[in-house]
Amino acid sequence: MIRAASKRQARLSNHSLSQHESSITQHLKFDSMQFYDENGVEVAGENNVSSFVRSRTAARPPMTFDRLQGMERPEMIPSTDLCVSSPPKSTKVCLPQPTLLSDALSDLKIAPKTFRFFDLPYELRSKILGYVLISDRTIDLDPQNYRTAHQRLSLFLTSHRFHEEAYPVFYGGHTFRILPTHGRFFGNKTKPLLTRLSPQYRAVLVSLELRLGPGWSNPPKSWRVDDRLGLEEMAAVRTVKVFVECDPSHDIFKGFRIGREFFTDFSVELLEGILHRLPALVQVEYDGWPSVMREGPLMRRLIKVSKDGGKRVKELSIQQSFEKRHKLISLKVKNVG
């Protein structure tokens, strides 16, 4: 009787172990998983895995009939060094008892794909903002601003902190035109761009431009220098750029101009008012079209006003008189002939 009971108990134990191996085999799908022993050596093949499972459960207490009656299903393998890896993802997952594979994968921490902009150093953030916000064009009242400047200014709405770091880059990185040159903004009631800026933005401007030439026969009445421009608030402005498109004092304009010195007097008055109101101005840069004579009345008087005001004068390009330019062209034509 005792020997028969022992044989029956052995059959029950082997049956339980077979069910145990079958359950693990179905759950882990041996065709896509690998097992590793405690030394990190791979256990490959279904037969080898079965032997490995047997070896890990050999040290367990004998399975008795009383214990089997209290179990609803075979127990999980109580081994903490049983590891599974998934070849497609090359991820090695160690399964702690009694954690399943799905639970182990859900516990894996995946590194975030984004980064926080304000975690970067301030110098690097400023450089990035410069690439995004600064262009090579002069900012003025223009019907196309909604296609250019508007897209950049929309970034200011990101957050208050982003606005505080971005607006000095945009307003300090561009040259702003003092008086509008587009014909659409020549009306008497038109406000120049500077009058539309808040004192906060005016305080960070660094460079201004005065463009002379548009409306030379009848300058707009809105072209005047007064308190509404807020030039006294622009303590950061160091440079004023003066670009001359034409000089109506030249004889070619005779019969079309109001008077020989009319536009010259008007331009000099504008520049004097600007230089007088800017508190920290250092330099005045002059440039213009090749047809403008450097020795002409307009350019001579503008340069004189700058020097009399104690400002450094810089000429971006060497302007030649119309007569000298005509001679050079004539010589080239002769050489070609």
Side-chain angles (χ1 to χ4, degrees):
M1 294 295 293
I2 296 175
R3 182 176 300 177
S6 299
K7 292 182 178 180
R8 182 181 180 184
Q9 181 176 348
R11 287 195 301 271
L12 289 175
S13 178
N14 293 334
H15 176 71
S16 174
L17 185 58
S18 299
Q19 290 182 346
H20 191 179
E21 295 173 1
S22 176
S23 175
I24 295 178
T25 302
Q26 293 176 1
H27 180 72
L28 294 180
K29 299 179 180 180
F30 290 129
D31 58 343
S32 62
M33 301 293 178
Q34 285 84 38
F35 284 83
Y36 298 86
D37 59 16
E38 61 273 11
N39 297 322
V41 179
E42 180 182 353
V43 181
E46 184 172 353
N47 295 331
N48 293 336
V49 170
S50 300
S51 302
F52 176 70
V53 172
R54 287 179 177 274
S55 65
R56 304 313 299 164
T57 57
R60 297 185 57 194
M63 191 70 67
T64 61
F65 181 75
D66 294 336
R67 292 189 61 193
L68 289 175
Q69 283 184 335
M71 295 176 57
E72 298 179 358
R73 61 173 182 171
E75 296 177 302
M76 301 295 293
I77 300 175
S79 174
T80 58
D81 52 14
L82 179 60
C83 300
V84 181
S85 69
S86 177
K89 297 183 179 179
S90 300
T91 303
K92 185 177 180 180
V93 182
C94 291
L95 302 180
Q97 163 68 16
T99 305
L100 298 178
L101 179 61
S102 58
D103 296 334
L105 294 176
S106 63
D107 292 338
L108 291 177
K109 295 182 179 180
I110 301 176
K113 298 181 179 180
T114 58
F115 69 95
R116 292 172 55 87
F117 177 73
F118 290 105
D119 290 343
L120 298 174
Y122 174 77
E123 294 77 8
L124 186 56
R125 297 200 304 268
S126 298
K127 195 172 185 65
I128 294 174
L129 291 175
Y131 285 125
V132 176
L133 297 175
I134 298 178
S135 64
D136 57 352
R137 60 188 298 268
T138 300
I139 306 299
D140 189 13
L141 292 178
D142 191 287
Q144 301 298 322
N145 280 343
Y146 75 96
R147 293 183 178 179
T148 55
H150 176 72
Q151 296 178 356
R152 294 179 170 86
L153 294 177
S154 61
L155 295 175
F156 291 0
L157 304 177
T158 303
S159 66
H160 176 73
R161 182 179 179 185
F162 192 93
H163 170 266
E164 293 301 309
E165 287 200 11
Y167 84 81
V169 176
F170 177 81
Y171 288 98
H174 286 97
T175 297
F176 282 74
R177 190 162 292 153
I178 301 174
L179 299 172
T181 59
H182 195 280
R184 181 176 175 180
F185 303 99
F186 272 12
N188 296 335
K189 297 182 180 180
T190 300
K191 294 181 179 180
L193 178 59
L194 296 182
T195 65
R196 308 182 184 208
L197 300 181
S198 65
Q200 180 184 16
Y201 297 153
R202 293 176 187 170
V204 296
L205 296 181
V206 176
S207 176
L208 301 177
E209 182 192 75
L210 176 63
R211 198 174 185 93
L212 300 173
W216 57 269
S217 61
N218 185 22
K221 293 183 179 180
S222 60
W223 275 35
R224 62 182 184 272
V225 178
D226 50 23
D227 294 338
R228 62 180 184 152
L229 294 176
L231 297 177
E232 294 85 357
E233 302 173 359
M234 303 179 189
V237 174
R238 298 292 185 269
T239 303
V240 169
K241 302 178 181 180
V242 180
F243 190 93
V244 181
E245 295 184 356
C246 64
D247 184 1
S249 63
H250 194 276
D251 292 338
I252 197 175
F253 291 91
K254 189 176 181 179
F256 302 96
R257 62 196 178 200
I258 299 176
R260 181 181 176 86
E261 301 296 331
F262 169 75
F263 189 73
T264 299
D265 295 338
F266 174 78
S267 301
V268 170
E269 183 180 356
L270 287 178
L271 184 59
E272 285 179 340
I274 294 172
L275 300 183
H276 177 70
R277 291 174 180 270
L278 290 173
L281 183 63
V282 175
Q283 178 174 277
V284 181
E285 297 180 358
Y286 287 95
D287 199 358
W289 298 128
S291 60
V292 177
M293 297 184 298
R294 185 187 183 283
E295 299 83 4
L298 179 57
M299 289 298 299
R300 286 204 316 266
R301 289 187 58 182
L302 290 175
I303 293 176
K304 184 177 183 302
V305 168
S306 302
K307 292 181 178 180
D308 293 345
K311 312 304 179 185
R312 186 169 63 244
V313 176
K314 180 180 179 181
E315 299 182 34
L316 298 182
S317 60
I318 301 176
Q319 302 296 340
Q320 296 174 327
S321 64
F322 182 81
E323 291 78 7
K324 291 182 179 179
R325 181 175 175 82
H326 180 71
K327 290 180 180 180
L328 291 175
I329 295 175
S330 301
L331 290 174
K332 290 181 180 179
V333 172
K334 291 180 180 179
N335 293 332
V336 173

